[in-house]
């Protein structure tokens, strides 16, 4: 069994009040929590810093906790939830991002089970990249894997780097065959003891340079299991354009 937590901040540079935006007649954060409730989680909690989000969740009968407003990361907010709920060190906690109203409940369950079955501190997931433009895009985070499906590194750079192809000026004759790399999907499971420890870890140089908080775990020697899926999950909401696309997808899937 595991716990799922949906961190929901009211502040957003691109979409202020994003967790409360309407998706098919309900706030986005409610739709996310409803998906989490369909997974194998024995508890689902929304962790927020805003009373309007708290009220919206309570009106739908959801578990909700008010947390501090000054946490720098969602991982820190989860650590506060672990403390408030008093969960034991070996409890598996899945961070379900509050802007993923179409997330597949089976994926939440899968990343949790990867950690339940292993001794790593964290688990996450990825899927193969077969498009070179996506591979080179710094907004697409890539994963380099060990042979045992643990993460070696996460980067915004194209890794692993196909040297001969790039050195040739991207000659079609030297284009890598098959998948080029692995795209990281921002779904995480953690052991509760690691969440408690995370808040004591100093930020790592590689974390600051790449702006990727999961690199703090690797830099301090913690291991991250990576679950591979075949295709990209349905999109989340970062921009107004994303919002309209997700609304359309929700209607089409509900119909």
């Amino acid at each position: 069994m595991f716990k799922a937590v949906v961190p929901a901040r009211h502040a957003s540079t691109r979409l202020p009040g994003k967790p409360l935006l309407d998706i098919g007649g309900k706030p986005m954060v409610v739709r996310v929590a409803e998906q989490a409730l369909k997974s194998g989680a024995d508890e689902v909690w929304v962790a927020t810093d805003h009373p309007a989000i708290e009220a919206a969740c309570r009106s739908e009968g959801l578990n909700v906790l008010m947390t501090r407003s000054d946490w720098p990361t969602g991982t820190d907010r989860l650590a506060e939830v672990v403390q408030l709920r008093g969960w034991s060190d070996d409890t598996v906690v899945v961070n379900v991002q509050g802007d993923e109203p179409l997330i597949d409940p089976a994926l939440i369950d899968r990343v949790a089970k990867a950690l339940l079955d292993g001794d790593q501190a964290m688990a996450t997931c990825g899927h193969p990249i077969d498009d070179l433009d996506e591979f080179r895009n710094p907004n697409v985070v890539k994963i380099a894997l060990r042979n045992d499906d643990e993460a070696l590194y996460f980067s915004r750079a194209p890794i692993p780097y196909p040297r001969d192809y790039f050195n040739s000026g991207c000659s079609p004759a030297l284009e890598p065959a098959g998948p080029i790399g692995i795209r990281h999907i921002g779904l995480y499971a953690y052991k509760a003891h690691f969440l408690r420890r995370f808040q004591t870890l100093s930020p790592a140089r590689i974390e600051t340079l790449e702006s990727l908080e999961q690199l703090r775990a690797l830099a301090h020697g913690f291991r991250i299991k990576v679950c591979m899926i075949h295709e990209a999950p349905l999109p989340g909401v970062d921009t107004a354009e994303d919002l309209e696309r997700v609304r359309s997808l929700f209607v089409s899937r509900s119909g």
Side-chain angles (χ1 to χ4, degrees), residues 5-9 46-49 65-85 87 93-97 122 188 190-204 207 212-214 216-217:
V5 178
V6 183
R9 291 175 61 249
V46 175
T48 187
D49 59 358
L65 287 170
M66 288 294 289
T67 55
R68 285 171 41 179
S69 60
D70 58 347
W71 289 124
T73 70
T75 308
D76 290 298
R77 197 174 305 281
L78 258 68
E80 184 181 1
V81 172
V82 167
Q83 186 66 27
L84 290 171
R85 296 297 302 159
W87 289 333
V93 184
V94 180
N95 180 348
V96 184
Q97 295 190 34
M122 293 174 57
Y188 296 99
Y190 306 89
K191 295 284 179 63
H193 71 79
F194 171 76
L195 286 168
R196 292 188 173 98
R197 180 72 187 282
F198 179 83
Q199 294 184 299
T200 72
L201 301 176
S202 58
E207 171 194 2
L212 297 173
E213 66 182 86
Q214 64 268 37
R216 188 184 311 183

Side-chain angles (χ1 to χ4, degrees), residues 218-242:
L218 291 182
H220 285 274
F222 292 94
R223 295 155 54 207
I224 302 176
K225 181 71 175 180
V226 179
C227 305
M228 290 297 298
I229 62 175
H230 296 298
E231 297 179 357
L234 291 170
V237 177
D238 289 321
T239 66
E241 292 77 15
D242 294 339

Side-chain angles (χ1 to χ4, degrees), residues 98-205:
D99 56 5
E100 300 278 350
L102 301 177
I103 189 166
D104 183 357
L107 187 57
I108 299 172
D109 188 61
R110 181 170 178 183
V111 75
K113 285 180 176 174
L115 204 53
L116 285 165
D117 294 338
D119 59 354
Q120 297 87 357
M122 293 174 57
T124 189
C125 44
H127 69 85
I129 299 173
D130 55 14
D131 180 85
L132 280 165
D133 289 336
E134 183 179 17
F135 184 58
R136 286 184 281 221
N137 185 347
N139 294 317
V140 174
V141 177
K142 276 74 68 175
I143 315 172
L145 281 183
R146 294 180 3 171
N147 286 342
D148 58 2
D149 291 330
E150 289 189 8
L152 272 172
Y153 192 66
F154 297 82
S155 183
R156 298 182 184 278
I159 59 170
Y161 188 83
R163 186 197 64 175
D164 293 343
Y165 172 71
F166 283 134
N167 284 354
S168 72
C170 302
S171 166
L174 294 174
E175 184 173 320
I180 311 162
I182 298 168
R183 179 174 187 158
H184 179 229
I185 300 165
L187 177 67
Y188 296 99
Y190 306 89
K191 295 284 179 63
H193 71 79
F194 171 76
L195 286 168
R196 292 188 173 98
R197 180 72 187 282
F198 179 83
Q199 294 184 299
T200 72
L201 301 176
S202 58
R205 173 70 171 162

